[in-house]
Amino acid sequence: MKILVPTDFSENADNALEFSKKIAKHKNASITLLYAFYAVYDFASQPQRSSAK
């Protein structure tokens, strides 16, 4: 059995990880920790490039 534990490193996520560790030990399962984020890039704040030479 495999357990996927998503996290944002908050206190609630830490609690979920502790809970999943108990389940994993009971079921002899492995845990994969997943951290994903959405990178926001502000294109509007970038300097304009001149296409004319």
Side-chain angles (χ1 to χ4, degrees):
M1 175 187 261
K2 296 178 183 178
I3 301 172
L4 178 62
V5 182
T7 187
D8 59 1
F9 300 107
S10 67
E11 186 177 346
N12 285 337
D14 290 343
N15 292 338
L17 177 59
E18 290 303 315
F19 185 72
S20 65
K21 285 167 41 177
K22 291 177 185 176
I23 293 173
K25 186 174 183 179
H26 184 287
K27 298 286 188 177
N28 196 25
S30 64
I31 292 177
T32 300
L33 200 58
L34 172 69
Y35 176 68
F37 67 97
Y38 179 70
V40 177
Y41 186 78
D42 188 2
F43 288 99
S45 70
Q46 300 306 308
Q48 292 281 347
R49 285 188 173 175
S50 175
S51 60
K53 288 188 179 184

